Amino acid sequence: MAGTEWYRKAVFYEVFVRSFQDSNGDGKGDLPGLISRLDYLNDGNPETQDDLGVDALWLMPVFASPSYHGYDVVDYERINPDYGTLEDFERLCEEAHRRGMRIIIDFVINHSGVQHPWFVESASSPSSPKRDWYVWGPRDPGWKQPWDMFSTAPTWHQKNGAYYYGVFWGGMPDLNMRTPALREEVKRLASLWLARGVDGFRLDAARYLIETGGGAGQYDTAETHAFWKELAAHVRQVKPDAVLVGENWSTTPIIATYYGDTGGVPGGDELPLNFNFPLSEQILAGLNADNAAFIAAKLVEMGGVYPAGISDAPILTNHDMVRVATQLGGNGGRKANAAALLLTLPGTPFLYYGEEVGMTNGTTSNDEAKRTPMPWDGTPKGGFTTGTPWFGFSPGHASGSSVAAQTDVAESLLSRYRKLIHVRQASEVLSRGGLQVLSATTGRAPSLAFVRLLGDEQVLVVHNVTDSSVSVGPYNLPGSKAEVLFEDRGVGTLTRASNGWQATLPGRATGIWRLQP
């Protein structure tokens, strides 16, 4: 597999700072609180295995914003006062780097907040010098939100006798990246945060950057791709090892286009990582149906569509999705499957905070329920705060779905994530290798089997996605001996018969073996 960039071997962890750890008792998580929990994420000692072992953190928005979520930025240079100071942020980067972790931050440049001084000035007059920093028109052309054909939400909003475009809602006006001065300002801001210690950016709503009209003109335009190439080139020039991660929630063939041209730049000249939402959907569907064919089919499709040499970014869920534990009905076996799948697939896996302890959704129907406070222990305040949590804990934190309850339990979900992450990092094949699917892609498949490949090395991975014991194989693969990298309890010895490798796996179990000559 081409490329040696650090992100190709990394396991990322998505953090919502407001919900991770409060340091001052105001009920809101903050940067000093996050710093105090870094050893849980990675203690900096590769010999220990009682930390989670992740390599990098993605911070949801930390810029100044009037909202709890931070996606309506009002100052791209200032840290949200709820979270601390710029000095706190720089200390976070230093402490993370000291432990061998990288930091990327949400860079929300599809839109700003309506209270941003840029927009206030832009809206003040048609002759404002920043008028063309946003998208204005004399009337509402009636465009609909492009991700929902049944949407009745307006995308053009009236202000001072004209209309501005805001595809998400009126409080987040879209920036106009056709404007050269704005493009230069965005590049200046990227340089600023790279200088402050970040190692890259997650790019929100990356498909919807530059519009050419309603309908299909609102997404995946040639102008959008051209801008991402321009920004990527700038970031590589400023900090060659920085990474960009695109949120392009679409089909597999569309996502593949956002890597750009892979001929001249390893991993592509556009966005070197793109979240794999279709794979997430098929993992969850396959686990809920006890059928690995769903997952195998998607992996085969990706192999035929994604450019050679790129790095995938698999996820289970993120802050916009109902949490994986809830989608899997709280089923312990399926949660164990999900962890093993995510951490044995190719690419750069992203965990959502709390996923490792089986954190469920909250009890409300709003987005806050997907972003509830981290359950460090089973006490009423969860070890998260000494005050009143900004939002209630999700169900289960007092009865086992907490870090304290699972830390010293060998068979806990947290212990499973820790072990699988360390197994992945100890194997170049698992962390950087390619993939060959061995399972059926149609009908019913009780197990998902694939080989991870790097040079002459081969690692066989098999997941039983049912509750019943299954015999797997024979797999006609080279080798005469099998080194165990990971086996769940009860997994039978992988043996070599005349027609190939075979083993028996109990329900929901995983086996990972390095095939040796």
Side-chain angles (χ1 to χ4, degrees), residues 39-64:
D39 281 348
Y40 164 78
L41 298 167
N42 189 325
D43 63 10
N45 183 354
E47 301 303 316
T48 62
Q49 295 200 7
D50 54 357
D51 58 342
L52 192 57
V54 296
D55 305 283
L57 307 181
W58 155 30
L59 307 186
M60 287 171 61
V62 294
F63 302 147

Side-chain angles (χ1 to χ4, degrees), residues 223-339:
E223 291 86 348
T224 293
H225 284 284
F227 175 79
W228 291 132
K229 290 176 189 282
E230 181 180 336
L231 180 64
H234 173 78
V235 167
R236 284 195 304 272
Q237 182 181 35
V238 174
K239 192 170 188 175
D241 66 346
V243 68
L244 299 176
V245 189
E247 184 207 22
N248 297 296
W249 204 326
S250 187
T251 62
T252 298
I254 294 297
I255 294 171
T257 65
Y258 279 89
Y259 287 97
D261 180 6
T262 59
V265 178
D269 65 352
E270 198 164 331
L271 305 181
L273 288 175
N274 292 277
F275 293 120
N276 197 332
F277 295 100
L279 179 59
S280 164
E281 293 167 7
Q282 293 308 303
I283 288 174
L284 298 178
L287 294 181
N288 278 324
D290 301 344
N291 187 358
F294 290 74
I295 309 166
K298 178 55 67 176
L299 293 171
V300 169
E301 181 194 3
M302 289 162 49
V305 172
Y306 274 28
I310 60 90
S311 186
D312 187 27
I315 62 169
L316 295 174
T317 57
N318 69 11
H319 63 278
D320 286 323
M321 305 162 76
V322 172
R323 282 188 171 271
V324 62
T326 298
Q327 291 199 53
L328 296 177
N331 183 288
R334 287 173 179 161
K335 288 188 287 185
N337 273 158

